[in-house]
Amino acid sequence: MDGAYRHIPLMDFRCEKSEKNLTDIKNFLRRLGEKNGAIFDSGRSYQYYGFQLLMNSESWRLFMAQCLLFDYTDRYYIGHQLIDGYSILRLSESNRHPEIPKVVLIL
């Protein structure tokens, strides 16, 4: 390995949970080239965890920027991740989020 950072494509969405919104998210991710991943019900909305090859930092920034253009994404999440230089999402319950995210769709 060359010592460079690699990123898993992750995204947090902020929209009402519905079949229509889930389909819209799936179609959006496919347009971005995401072919392998899972969409989770996070309790209040949805999250995406990509299974493809890890992204280099330039590809990750482009992915994050493209996600900013989609109405359902959580722009605060994207902003914080761009500031931090990496993405994280929880896969567990917490005091603020008592529900464990559950897979609702696999790409």
Side-chain angles (χ1 to χ4, degrees), residues 2 8-9 12 17 43 47 53 58 67 70 72 80 84 100:
D2 61 8
I8 298 169
D12 195 28
K17 294 188 300 184
Q47 296 175 337
L53 297 175
E58 183 177 333
C67 286
F70 185 56
Y72 297 168
H80 284 288
D84 292 343
I100 296 172

Side-chain angles (χ1 to χ4, degrees), residues 11-18 22 25 39-49 89-104:
M11 187 48 54
D12 195 28
F13 296 94
R14 184 177 286 196
C15 63
E16 187 175 312
K17 294 188 300 184
S18 71
L22 186 58
I25 290 169
I39 299 173
F40 286 71
D41 175 340
S42 64
R44 294 185 194 150
S45 191
Y46 299 107
Q47 296 175 337
Y48 174 69
Y49 296 76
L89 287 171
R90 68 175 179 86
L91 276 173
S92 62
E93 62 185 291
S94 69
N95 288 337
R96 289 184 51 211
H97 305 283
E99 294 185 42
I100 296 172
K102 295 171 183 64
V103 174
V104 291

Side-chain angles (χ1 to χ4, degrees), residues 23-40:
T23 298
D24 289 348
I25 290 169
K26 175 187 73 173
N27 292 337
F28 169 74
L29 290 166
R30 286 196 172 147
R31 281 193 306 274
L32 290 185
E34 292 297 310
K35 298 175 185 155
N36 298 304
I39 299 173
F40 286 71

